[in-house]
Amino acid sequence: MMRSWKMLSVGLILVLVFGVLAVADDQVQITFWHAMASRHQPHLQKLVDDFMAENPNITVELIYQGGYGDLQQKINAAVVAGNVPTIAQVYENWVTPIVDILYPIGPSMTDEEKADIIDGLVPSNTYNGILYTVPFNKSIMVFYYRKDLVPTPPTNWEEYLQMAKDLTKDTNDDGTIDLFGTGFRPAANPEQFLNFLEEAGGSILNDDWTEVTINDEAGLEAMEYAASLAPYSLITSSYMSDAFQAGQVCMFIDTSAGYYYNNKAAETAGFEMGVARIPMGPVNQKSMIQGTNLAVFDMNQTQKQKDAAVKLARFLIRAENTVYWAEKGGYQPVTKSAYVTEEWENWIAEHEYQQAMSEQMLDGFAQILHPNYGDMRDIIATMFEEVMLGEATPKQALDNAAEEIEALLE
Amino acid sequence: MPPQWLPKDPQWVNYIKAWNVAPFGRYFFNSFFMAITTTIGEVITSILAAYAFAKMTFFGKNFLFAILLGTLMIPGQMLLIPNYVTITRLGWFDHYEALIIPWLASVFGIFLLRQFFRSIPDELQDAARMDGCSRLRFLWQIVVPLSKPAIMTVALLKFLGSWNAFLWVLIMTNSDKMRTVPVGLTLFSSEVGTAYEQLMAASVLAIIPVLILFFFTQKQFIQGVARTGIK
């Protein structure tokens, strides 16, 4: 009798131990490095909490790594040291040099899921023909304007120039301009020029990255147009919302993610703000998509972790989640199906400004994937600023920039 | 239009909002812990090293000192990745060791104190040595009290440097429980805009300890600046 009790209890203990081990073995922990500041963190946390509720065996640790620049530095360091996260926010050009140590997300997705990603976002997430990353917090450059001074926003380049000219005023007659028709932030936001370049049909490089094309005819047209706006433009290095709040600019091009701040500036200053598509250029009306994608790391991760991270990435681009993220974070949904959900249609109906953003998003272009894009962007920023401040002619500036970019191609 | 100095309707609630954005209590503790330990550490190592360079003769002294100064020429940014790898291999990543140990000595502190110690006449040392005073005792009882302003300067600059350190902390830590106040402050800004009201509230909280420290050490600090010409 004693003996069988003993046997039974040993058996029970064994069952318990293995049972616990089996459950524990099923648990997987992943780390998610991001650069989302305080305004976005609660919403990101909510999405991740929903994901963990759906997948009780997965624990996601969100780790804030400062701004985008800090995050990039940290990823670079982590790649060298080998302690990378499981999943992280990345810009297109960060991925190009480290694509070998990433775990492609695309092959684990259904064809339906892949086809659902907005067309303009597919090339910028595809490396060597494989969908490696998926879009995450995407925003689009749009046109912001003061409704009291700009009853209808300009629809093309000529109108934009004319209105900028008409609106620019020396309101107190002291010989300096107090109210500028428009404004630019060349050093911090060279994307404002890249929009013009795209709209004129130009590009930084040719398709196979062998030649610099920024100073060709289209490039010159874009830069000359920017220069023609310069006399009616406030050139600043701080946020456009600061100048907007101070009543110094009437219209400007900025990312849709800045809506919250621009609108707050307008409210504080006491006028209404409108949002429209950017004015049509000679060739098209495309504007630049900004924001990061999600990458899963292959390096030093278990298969379970990689699977869990892929699951998280797929979860985050699911229609209801990309819509939630867009509504709360001021980003744009990244899948086509998201735009036809009832939730999003209601949102657009209630938020007039969102219509222009959505249209512009579906007609956007992405950053090039060249590994040296970061340096090219700096060169373009410098050139753009020189032209806008009148320190160089468009031709000079473009030729110099082309030469510097050329050196980055080797 | 003159600026309005006192707000009509102060928004005290921003302090609470800002405080709740992140575990700032922990951040403050970490900032204090890091700043105090690195300051004490640097003062001790700098005094010892500066004494050796200023008052002792040994083989290769000038050469060694030149190498030491040479390290000042290497930009910190360039060393960030190699340092990260070192810290990770030592197993210090995301631990206090990573925040403190690399900062326990600094060339700048050694250099500053060495210049100051050199102005103390050698005759003092000779007399003390002749009376049987050991080098260490001479250092603590004669040199250190005479160099108080310079030492205070080193300590204050270090404290401020540690208190404000951002990139190092961000790169060498991952978890909230290891982060410091400056990392917390970045939470309020993003590429597209800044929550100024909360950033300002949090910044006020962040400078209070430094202000208090400055009030208590003002005299020595100003003396130190005046005597050593460092700001």
Side-chain angles (χ1 to χ4, degrees), chain A residues 115-373:
Chain A
D116 196 22
I117 294 174
I118 292 176
D119 298 337
L121 294 174
V122 175
S124 57
N125 283 286
T126 305
Y127 300 81
N128 311 322
I130 301 167
L131 188 75
Y132 261 85
T133 52
V134 293
F136 178 51
N137 64 325
K138 288 297 180 181
S139 59
I140 185 85
M141 305 284 288
V142 288
F143 193 81
Y144 292 92
Y145 61 97
R146 272 178 73 156
K147 279 188 173 171
D148 56 341
L149 299 175
V150 184
T152 47
T155 56
N156 57 39
W157 278 15
E158 293 75 42
E159 282 179 32
Y160 181 24
L161 177 60
Q162 188 58 46
M163 286 173 94
K165 195 174 174 179
D166 294 344
L167 286 163
T168 301
K169 275 189 193 84
D170 173 12
T171 46
N172 58 3
D173 282 320
D174 65 350
T176 56
I177 296 169
D178 317 289
L179 180 66
F180 288 90
T182 188
F184 291 93
R185 230 184 133 194
N189 206 349
E191 287 73 21
Q192 289 168 330
F193 168 72
L194 294 177
N195 273 344
F196 291 151
L197 183 64
E198 178 78 20
E199 285 192 297
S203 58
I204 304 172
L205 305 176
N206 62 353
D207 286 342
D208 55 6
W209 298 345
T210 52
E211 241 174 89
V212 181
T213 51
I214 196 167
N215 57 342
D216 65 6
E217 226 169 281
L220 192 61
E221 186 176 10
M223 197 42 112
E224 273 172 352
Y225 179 66
S228 71
L229 284 166
Y232 320 114
S233 303
L234 176 79
I235 307 300
T236 172
S237 56
S238 50
Y239 303 118
M240 285 312 300
S241 51
D242 294 349
F244 202 43
Q245 183 170 332
Q248 293 169 319
V249 282
C250 307
M251 359 177 233
F252 57 94
I253 294 168
D254 190 15
T255 157
S256 60
Y259 176 84
Y260 171 84
Y261 297 100
N262 296 336
N263 192 49
K264 203 161 92 174
E267 273 174 7
T268 312
F271 50 78
E272 246 191 282
M273 180 183 82
V275 177
R277 290 196 59 167
I278 62 166
M280 172 89 180
V283 173
N284 61 43
Q285 200 177 359
K286 285 183 191 292
S287 80
M288 191 159 179
I289 298 171
Q290 295 181 291
T292 67
N293 306 314
L294 295 174
V296 174
F297 285 81
D298 194 19
M299 189 189 208
N300 296 339
Q301 309 291 319
T302 66
Q303 190 59 43
K304 269 189 182 150
Q305 286 177 307
K306 287 181 272 187
D307 290 342
V310 166
K311 223 175 198 179
L312 174 62
R314 290 168 66 194
F315 173 87
L316 289 172
I317 61 168
R318 216 187 269 169
E320 71 262 29
N321 296 326
T322 189
V323 163
Y324 173 85
W325 186 229
E327 288 180 5
K328 300 292 179 187
Y331 297 114
Q332 304 303 308
V334 296
T335 59
K336 293 171 207 158
S337 60
Y339 285 84
V340 293
T341 54
E342 209 189 321
E343 171 70 26
W344 186 249
E345 279 170 355
N346 288 340
W347 177 263
I348 292 186
E350 287 161 29
H351 300 84
E352 193 199 343
Y353 64 86
Q354 186 58 58
Q355 184 68 40
M357 290 179 185
S358 291
E359 279 172 25
Q360 189 73 69
M361 183 70 186
L362 295 170
D363 190 18
F365 70 96
Q367 168 193 310
I368 57 170
L369 306 182
H370 196 282
N372 291 337
Y373 174 75

Side-chain angles (χ1 to χ4, degrees), chain A residues 28-40:
Chain A
V28 48
Q29 184 166 12
I30 60 173
T31 48
F32 181 177
W33 286 7
H34 67 89
M36 296 284 92
S38 63
R39 198 169 77 76
H40 291 108

Side-chain angles (χ1 to χ4, degrees), chain B:
Chain B
M1 164 175 75
Q4 187 184 348
W5 292 111
L6 291 173
K8 248 185 275 156
D9 189 12
Q11 302 289 313
W12 301 111
V13 69
N14 283 327
Y15 285 92
I16 297 163
K17 276 194 200 155
W19 184 265
N20 288 331
V21 157
F24 270 103
R26 179 80 197 195
Y27 290 179
F28 269 94
F29 171 78
N30 287 344
S31 280
F32 268 116
F33 187 56
M34 179 183 165
I36 290 169
T37 48
T38 54
T39 304
I40 294 172
E42 183 185 309
V43 166
I44 293 172
T45 55
S46 296
I47 289 173
L48 292 172
Y51 175 77
F53 281 120
K55 293 277 173 239
M56 288 167 76
T57 40
F58 53 89
F59 177 72
K61 182 170 96 168
N62 289 331
F63 179 67
L64 208 62
F65 192 64
I67 291 181
L68 209 61
L69 285 185
T71 62
L72 274 179
M73 317 288 170
I74 304 169
Q77 295 278 355
M78 219 180 83
L79 292 172
L80 204 59
I81 290 181
N83 280 337
Y84 182 88
V85 175
T86 311
I87 295 283
T88 310
R89 298 229 172 113
L90 286 168
W92 292 351
F93 180 74
D94 208 21
H95 286 87
Y96 283 121
E97 285 93 320
L99 300 185
I100 295 166
I101 295 176
W103 298 104
L104 289 179
S106 101
V107 176
F108 177 73
I110 295 170
F111 174 70
L112 191 76
L113 291 187
R114 171 194 180 256
Q115 301 309 98
F116 204 88
F117 289 176
R118 272 162 62 107
S119 65
I120 295 168
D122 280 341
E123 287 76 9
L124 270 181
Q125 174 165 256
D126 296 341
R129 299 275 293 163
M130 231 177 284
D131 288 341
C133 175
S134 74
R135 282 188 184 279
L136 216 53
R137 189 167 160 211
F138 172 71
L139 179 59
W140 292 127
Q141 289 198 335
I142 314 285
V143 178
V144 169
L146 281 174
S147 316
K148 227 168 110 192
I151 292 170
M152 282 308 288
T153 308
V154 169
L156 269 163
L157 289 174
K158 183 64 177 191
F159 188 89
L160 285 179
S162 285
W163 186 261
N164 293 329
F166 165 68
L167 197 60
W168 180 269
V169 180
L170 183 79
I171 298 285
M172 298 306 168
T173 64
N174 261 350
S175 55
D176 259 345
K177 61 180 202 298
M178 281 297 136
R179 295 219 155 141
T180 59
V181 177
V183 178
L185 290 181
T186 65
L187 279 165
F188 302 104
S189 332
S190 70
E191 269 69 12
V192 292
T194 297
Y196 288 117
E197 69 288 0
Q198 292 180 28
L199 177 64
M200 288 302 138
S203 301
V204 168
L205 298 176
I207 60 167
I208 286 175
V210 181
L211 274 183
I212 292 174
L213 187 79
F214 183 73
F215 286 139
F216 280 109
T217 53
Q218 204 179 9
K219 206 176 112 202
Q220 283 88 346
F221 191 56
I222 289 168
Q223 258 182 22
V225 171
R227 293 240 194 121
T228 57
I230 303 282
K231 310 192 258 219

Side-chain angles (χ1 to χ4, degrees), chain A residues 35 65-77 89 91 94 292, chain B residues 77 80 166-167 170-171 191:
Chain A
Q65 300 290 19
Y68 290 127
D70 305 321
L71 174 64
Q72 182 187 14
Q73 242 178 346
K74 181 116 183 195
I75 289 178
N76 286 340
Q89 275 187 299
Y91 263 104
W94 304 358
T292 67
Chain B
Q77 295 278 355
L80 204 59
F166 165 68
L167 197 60
L170 183 79
I171 298 285
E191 269 69 12

